[in-house]
Amino acid sequence: MMNLYFNPRSRAVIAKWMLDECGAKYDLVHIDLQKREHKSPEFLAINPAGKLPALVDGETRMFENAAICLYLADKFPEANLAPKLGDPRRGRYLSLMVYSTSQLEPSMGDFLMNLETAPQRGWTDFKTALDAVERELGNGPYLFGDWFTAADVMVGSMFIWMRIQGKRTGRPSIDAYVDRVLARPNGLKLG
Ligand SMILES: N[C@@H](CCC(=O)N[C@@H](CS)C(=O)NCC(=O)O)C(=O)O
């Protein structure tokens, strides 16, 4: 059985959403952030960054949502959430997975905290990130057309995070996309 180290008020909800999309069986290990259980030596042995989520699957330990989602999509091929090895769409899929956390997440963080994004950073300003997502989404409904993939879990959850903070992007195609991913039966819920 897999263990997801979890707190409902953390980004661990992203990995949980992915597990549910996969139809995986797993146990939640509740981490009390107030008690700083995520900084304990036991937890740091799983995730040296001391952040949620973390996933343990037998001998495999994982941290970072993007890595966890990539791992789960490959572990549950029957859920059909990722282009397989050799599929030409795989490159764009891997790029979007990494982009979601390396550029979209920090640029959104800058925006939400009213920080300027210096061009020397490894990510763009949020307006440029929105342009990029709009372009990749095209007419949708998902990032790979009709096909819902793990890339929608990662990219979608970033915008759901923004909704939870009470903010919308103001880009009609992205806001409609967020409504769509929020409507998934196994998906994240606001509030
Ligand atoms: N990029 C990481 C972000 C993880 C992260 O920032 N987790 C936050 C919760 S939302 C955390 O554990 N914060 C507690 C802390 O840093 O003390 C991921 O996607 O896994």
Side-chain angles (χ1 to χ4, degrees):
M1 185 74 91
M2 286 184 283
N3 279 341
L4 177 67
Y5 291 76
F6 181 80
N7 183 291
R9 301 177 71 86
S10 81
R11 286 169 169 86
V13 296
I14 301 171
K16 182 176 183 302
W17 177 15
M18 184 64 188
L19 283 159
D20 292 336
E21 290 285 353
C22 290
K25 291 204 188 335
Y26 60 93
D27 285 325
L28 291 181
V29 180
H30 280 270
I31 293 290
D32 190 327
L33 297 170
Q34 239 73 46
K35 289 190 186 151
R36 299 183 62 76
E37 287 175 351
H38 54 310
K39 307 295 178 191
S40 70
E42 296 77 29
F43 186 77
L44 293 177
I46 301 169
N47 182 358
K51 283 185 175 284
L52 292 177
L55 181 80
V56 173
D57 180 14
E59 308 244 311
T60 300
R61 71 178 168 100
M62 307 266 337
F63 49 95
E64 291 292 331
N65 271 306
I68 292 171
C69 289
L70 286 163
Y71 175 79
L72 291 171
D74 291 347
K75 184 180 167 84
F76 294 93
E78 64 282 6
N80 198 30
L81 291 166
K84 310 262 181 303
L85 277 178
D87 184 323
R89 292 170 293 186
R90 179 109 178 151
R92 178 169 170 264
Y93 161 74
L94 293 172
S95 302
L96 288 169
M97 294 296 281
V98 174
Y99 177 83
S100 68
T101 193
S102 66
Q103 295 223 29
L104 181 57
E105 185 173 28
S107 75
M108 185 182 291
D110 288 348
F111 169 76
L112 291 173
M113 291 187 293
N114 277 317
L115 298 172
E116 201 177 321
T117 302
Q120 294 86 346
R121 306 297 298 208
W123 56 89
T124 64
D125 62 83
F126 191 48
K127 186 199 160 296
T128 308
L130 289 177
D131 291 344
V133 172
E134 255 180 353
R135 194 170 293 128
E136 288 301 313
L137 195 54
N139 294 325
Y142 298 117
L143 286 161
F144 286 84
D146 287 333
W147 185 15
F148 178 88
T149 67
D152 296 300
V153 172
M154 282 305 300
V155 172
S157 59
M158 298 302 151
F159 290 109
I160 293 172
W161 186 255
M162 195 171 157
R163 282 273 176 104
I164 292 171
Q165 319 259 322
K167 297 219 164 67
R168 286 173 179 257
T169 67
R171 305 284 180 106
S173 70
I174 299 179
D175 287 341
Y177 169 68
V178 182
D179 290 339
R180 222 170 283 134
V181 288
L182 274 169
R184 304 245 346 140
N186 283 327
L188 291 183
K189 301 285 166 267
L190 296 178

